[in-house]
Amino acid sequence: MSSQPLPNAPAIRLSGVTRRFRDVVALEGLDLSVPPGGRLAIVGPSGCGKSTVLGLISGLDQPDEGVVEVLGATDPAARLAHCAWMPQRDLLLPWRTALANAALALENQGVPRRAAREQVWPLFARFGLAGFENRRPAQLSGGMRQRVAFLRTVVAGKDVLLLDEPFGALDSITRAEAQDWLRTVLDEQERTVVLVTHDVDEALLIGHEVVVLTGRPGRVAARLPVTLPAAGSRRALLASPEFVRQRDAVLAALEDGSPARPLPQEPPSSPHTPAAEG
């Protein structure tokens, strides 16, 4: 079923959502909401169902229990029509130029190839890619490839952007540059964003709110609004007392929400077994 969202209704709502994969419960009783134009960052231990949340929002997956609603739509196809998903890998087609890759989303919507490329061309300068329109992916750095992938996601024209660890494959220096760039671009976009990441700093830099999930089955351990101080540089921002306080709050929630792990068992001592060195 699809309908128009009510005034002041969240753009995305998950209510009492449980998702099972055979005998594995990935998510249980999950409640989430994102306001229109809001940016939600989801962090949690590996295997807690973060990417499963994106699949449910996008309509590519269905909950076993509960309701998922995107801009008033609960039907999977209608949810999918509202969403664009950017995965961790850029998935650029190696035989296409950067311009042709970015225009692919429009071509898939039926826009003629030439018209699609003419529409995308002016955006290359805005996304820091001017002069690289006719380069192929192998001629681009990792950070530039991710910019092209994000541009492809944006030009799809969807109201909801789903970002699945978009910079997870980049080295730390390139990732920091990409995070700062993405934050600036999103500030200019009237889109609702859900970001999945393992990087707490990235969650705080990009999200308006951070949700911490527990270990499997994923439940909400904490919801933390993000309030960043004005800072002249990334270094100053990350070192500010307010950022450090919020980072510590997220890390504390991660520790509290992680499942307890059994301590490793030490092998029985033996007089005939030499002590391990190092």
Side-chain angles (χ1 to χ4, degrees):
M1 183 178 71
S2 177
S3 61
Q4 292 297 318
L6 297 173
N8 302 319
I12 300 171
R13 181 176 68 90
L14 284 74
S15 179
V17 167
T18 295
R19 183 69 176 104
R20 304 181 187 90
F21 297 94
R22 297 189 178 180
D23 59 342
V24 175
V25 182
L27 301 168
E28 186 173 61
L30 190 68
D31 295 311
L32 289 177
S33 64
V34 189
R39 304 204 300 253
L40 178 69
I42 302 176
V43 298
S46 295
C48 72
K50 297 186 296 296
S51 294
T52 300
V53 172
L54 297 186
L56 292 167
I57 293 171
S58 70
L60 297 174
D61 195 9
Q62 279 285 84
D64 295 292
E65 299 173 16
V67 175
V68 181
E69 185 176 342
V70 179
L71 296 173
T74 56
D75 177 76
R79 299 202 309 271
L80 180 60
H82 289 304
C83 297
W85 188 331
M86 180 178 173
Q88 180 174 342
R89 298 183 60 188
D90 58 70
L91 300 180
L92 299 181
L93 301 179
W95 60 88
R96 280 190 165 228
T97 64
L99 177 64
N101 268 288
L104 187 60
L106 294 177
E107 292 179 38
N108 288 341
Q109 295 173 8
V111 178
R113 178 179 297 182
R114 182 173 180 178
R117 298 182 186 189
E118 288 176 350
Q119 185 174 334
V120 172
W121 182 281
L123 297 175
F124 266 66
R126 181 177 166 191
F127 279 64
L129 293 164
F132 294 89
E133 293 86 351
N134 294 316
R135 302 287 182 91
R136 285 187 163 74
Q139 298 172 300
L140 302 176
S141 68
M144 296 184 75
R145 289 170 62 107
Q146 289 301 97
R147 292 191 186 201
V148 175
F150 185 70
L151 177 54
R152 179 185 58 197
T153 304
V154 169
V155 299
K158 307 297 184 178
D159 295 310
V160 176
L161 303 180
L162 306 176
L163 310 180
D164 192 359
E165 298 193 60
F167 306 132
L170 302 180
D171 64 83
S172 59
I173 295 175
T174 305
R175 183 166 64 246
E177 293 172 349
Q179 290 165 354
D180 292 340
W181 168 83
L182 178 61
R183 186 182 175 203
T184 300
V185 171
L186 289 177
D187 284 343
E188 301 170 353
Q189 296 285 326
E190 291 295 328
R191 310 292 179 97
T192 302
V193 178
V194 180
L195 165 72
V196 160
T197 180
H198 283 97
D199 187 329
V200 172
D201 287 357
E202 181 172 273
L204 291 170
L205 287 167
I206 295 174
H208 296 153
E209 182 180 36
V210 176
V211 163
V212 179
L213 296 186
T214 65
R216 188 187 309 123
R219 305 182 184 95
V220 174
R223 297 190 67 146
L224 306 166
V226 178
T227 53
L228 297 182
S233 67
R234 176 190 177 94
R235 179 183 175 190
L237 176 58
L238 269 59
S240 67
E242 182 61 17
F243 192 93
V244 172
R245 182 191 67 78
Q246 292 180 77
R247 180 198 290 134
D248 287 347
V250 175
L251 292 173
L254 283 167
E255 290 180 0
D256 293 342
S258 298
R261 297 181 180 178
L263 295 174
Q265 298 295 315
E266 294 186 1
S269 59
S270 168
H272 303 292
T273 303
E277 296 182 357

